[in-house]
Amino acid sequence: MTVARPNIILVFTDQLRGDAVCLPGAPVIAPNLDRLAREGVVFAQCVSNSPLCVPARASLMTGRLPREHGAWSNAAGADEHGPSHVRNIRDAGYRTAVFGKTHLWRVGPGGRAGMHAREMDHNLAAWGFDERLEVNDPIGTRFMGCAYTDYLESRGWLAAHQEYMHAWVAEIRDGDVKPWDQQPAPVPEGEDIDSFIGRRAVEWLREHIRGGEGGPFYLQAQFTGPHDPYDAPMAWRNRYRPAELDPGIATLPELPMPKLIQARLERAPSLTAASTEQRQRWRANYYANVSLIDHWIGELLAVLEESDALARTWIVFNSDHGELLGDHGLWGKAAFYEGAVHVPCIMRAPAGGGAPHGGGGRVVRGLTEQIDIPVTLVDVAGAEPLPSGLGRSLRATVESGTDGDPGKEVVLSELFGQVMLRTHRYKLVVRLEDHERYQFFDLSDDPQETRNLVADPAQQPTIDALIGDYLLPLKRRTDLDRLARYRAYVRRTGSIN
């Protein structure tokens, strides 16, 4: 038996790599995510459709690839009047709300000094959110206003916060980046940006349930972490022993090396020279932010349990993209290595819908991708399906009680006019228009992606077959006008982002 018109909560993080939580050997202390995994289904090979904030979030909203929605970088968002799974769910009778960082609108890759997020509230309304409380990304809060900076200002903490953010950006610009030395947020414990988001989401959920407003709800809690800077209070960091953490992949990319990768290595030499001990401290700081977010997931679960609403609520957990954490000498995202494109995906159905009554605790290892999530959500809500895309609903897999879903033959990730094609065995990165080849990995022999075989003559027939079988049929899905505008933007500004 399934629950008719269940509530839905989507918990969405920023820059959380897929191997950090809820898989064997996962390093993060996250009891509430572990609970969701025990009572639900973990999709162990979920791929972000773009390893960058805006394109990935546009794919989550629309169920479309970047080639379709046209957001190729952080410089411009997708069309808020185009497809939207949130709008469809709202129109099916749901009360929709979002708290946190949406990154659905842009006024350039770096924002505009003095702008306040409330100026773009109409954008979130157009996407379909009835209730909205938006924060900027943490780095953007140093010069742009939002609900969180308003809160800091009212408490007298804004100047310290902005000084903290300016210092981190100065490190980035100088290339002397030392994430292992990142200090906690300069605000009282529990007043950091993710606690602000978590607290507001919990308050809304409690008030909505107690108010008995009728009808189901769809709540998005969009946390800014664990995106840098790593600002979790020291109490959360003290849960980790850095010396016990895996320092990651120290091997630098070998030639032939894509120009974008080479440029990134040259911009941050401090990272390529990081010691094992520094890389471990870096990871402890990062994992602490995830544990902090996990605490607020627990608070959301507690509200649901207080009111018996957990038995009629779907909970989905995902992230826009991963974080390289020094793998291959790189940090952040914007590359097609697994650390950046592999994201966590957990789905917990209400009791009676496969989990937790005997169907929970399953790990599905078939390939899935981010555009499967909005298709699943409209299916769960009984809403109007999204326009034809490549996403597929995972609802039946979650409710089936089995883990035999083979997944997709291929999943895709796109950014800066490039496309990554991934099968269970191979990963290929090419330029979108002409399929110029940049990277090719045999993941069965080289799971850490240390050997780029793109120039190996023996691999050319395999690469040709992958392009012919999977990429050429996608040409008709490309919005050529949006792609042309992006290419013109790159030529005009000299920036790919």
Side-chain angles (χ1 to χ4, degrees), residues 45 365-367 406-409 422-426 443-444:
Q45 296 202 71
R365 300 194 178 277
L367 288 174
K408 295 180 171 181
E409 291 183 12
R422 189 196 189 286
T423 67
H424 276 282
R425 178 170 180 178
Y426 297 114
L443 300 175
S444 62

Side-chain angles (χ1 to χ4, degrees), residues 53 116 177 179 263 345 357 379 396 398 429 457 495:
C53 291
H116 197 286
V177 187
C345 181
H357 290 270
D379 186 10
V398 175
V429 179
S495 173

Side-chain angles (χ1 to χ4, degrees), residues 80-91:
E80 66 270 27
H81 301 293
S84 168
H85 83 270
V86 176
R87 192 186 314 116
N88 287 17
I89 291 175
R90 181 203 63 192
D91 292 347

Side-chain angles (χ1 to χ4, degrees), residues 290-351:
V290 186
S291 293
L292 171 65
I293 293 168
D294 182 79
H295 164 77
W296 288 107
I297 294 172
E299 293 295 301
L300 290 168
L301 290 172
V303 173
L304 292 172
E305 287 184 307
E306 289 168 6
S307 59
D308 295 325
L310 186 60
R312 56 182 186 278
T313 302
W314 270 72
I315 302 173
V316 177
F317 179 77
N318 189 229
S319 186
D320 52 359
H321 49 73
E323 157 66 62
L324 287 159
L325 285 180
D327 286 350
H328 312 286
L330 300 168
W331 69 305
K333 58 277 186 180
F336 293 110
Y337 290 111
E338 284 296 282
V341 297
H342 177 208
V343 289
C345 181
I346 308 170
M347 295 189 180
R348 182 197 185 277

Side-chain angles (χ1 to χ4, degrees), residues 137-152:
D137 65 88
I139 290 175
T141 59
R142 77 190 192 279
F143 61 86
M144 294 174 64
C146 64
Y148 182 59
T149 60
D150 293 345
Y151 176 75
L152 292 179

Side-chain angles (χ1 to χ4, degrees), residues 111-371:
R112 187 174 74 232
M115 183 177 184
H116 197 286
R118 74 169 71 91
E119 298 175 44
M120 296 299 292
D121 186 65
H122 63 278
N123 178 277
L124 299 189
W127 281 108
F129 293 107
D130 293 318
E131 298 182 56
R132 310 165 291 276
L133 184 143
E134 187 170 20
V135 304
N136 293 320
D137 65 88
I139 290 175
T141 59
R142 77 190 192 279
F143 61 86
M144 294 174 64
C146 64
Y148 182 59
T149 60
D150 293 345
Y151 176 75
L152 292 179
E153 188 170 27
S154 72
R155 299 300 193 275
W157 302 328
L158 181 59
H161 168 83
Q162 291 182 328
E163 182 179 350
Y164 172 83
M165 290 298 167
H166 277 295
W168 178 238
V169 172
E171 277 193 33
I172 296 172
R173 289 175 174 168
D174 292 344
D176 189 24
V177 187
K178 297 177 181 177
W180 44 86
D181 287 338
Q182 182 71 53
Q183 296 301 304
V187 295
E189 186 169 339
E191 302 292 356
D192 58 273
I193 191 167
D194 280 325
S195 293
F196 175 81
I197 293 167
R199 189 176 301 112
R200 293 301 182 272
V202 166
E203 290 170 353
W204 181 91
L205 182 61
R206 181 175 288 113
E207 291 170 4
H208 182 88
I209 291 175
R210 286 180 177 174
E213 297 180 24
F217 63 82
Y218 174 29
L219 168 64
Q220 288 189 3
Q222 298 242 20
F223 292 95
T224 66
H227 191 296
D228 58 280
Y230 311 117
D231 59 357
M234 193 59 70
W236 296 97
R237 295 187 182 188
N238 290 339
R239 297 184 172 203
Y240 292 89
R241 294 187 175 92
E244 298 177 0
L245 299 177
D246 183 345
I249 303 169
T251 306
L252 297 181
E254 66 176 13
L255 298 176
M257 187 190 306
K259 292 180 180 178
L260 294 181
I261 300 296
Q262 185 172 355
R264 291 184 60 187
L265 291 173
E266 293 171 352
R267 280 201 304 270
S270 59
L271 300 182
T272 59
S275 67
T276 296
E277 185 266 343
Q278 287 171 332
R279 291 159 62 88
Q280 290 170 318
R281 283 167 46 206
W282 179 0
R283 293 190 175 224
N285 293 350
Y286 174 82
Y287 297 153
N289 274 46
V290 186
S291 293
L292 171 65
I293 293 168
D294 182 79
H295 164 77
W296 288 107
I297 294 172
E299 293 295 301
L300 290 168
L301 290 172
V303 173
L304 292 172
E305 287 184 307
E306 289 168 6
S307 59
D308 295 325
L310 186 60
R312 56 182 186 278
T313 302
W314 270 72
I315 302 173
V316 177
F317 179 77
N318 189 229
S319 186
D320 52 359
H321 49 73
E323 157 66 62
L324 287 159
L325 285 180
D327 286 350
H328 312 286
L330 300 168
W331 69 305
K333 58 277 186 180
F336 293 110
Y337 290 111
E338 284 296 282
V341 297
H342 177 208
V343 289
C345 181
I346 308 170
M347 295 189 180
R348 182 197 185 277
H357 290 270
R362 291 178 288 128
V363 177
V364 174
R365 300 194 178 277
L367 288 174
T368 56
E369 54 190 331
Q370 214 156 45
I371 53 176

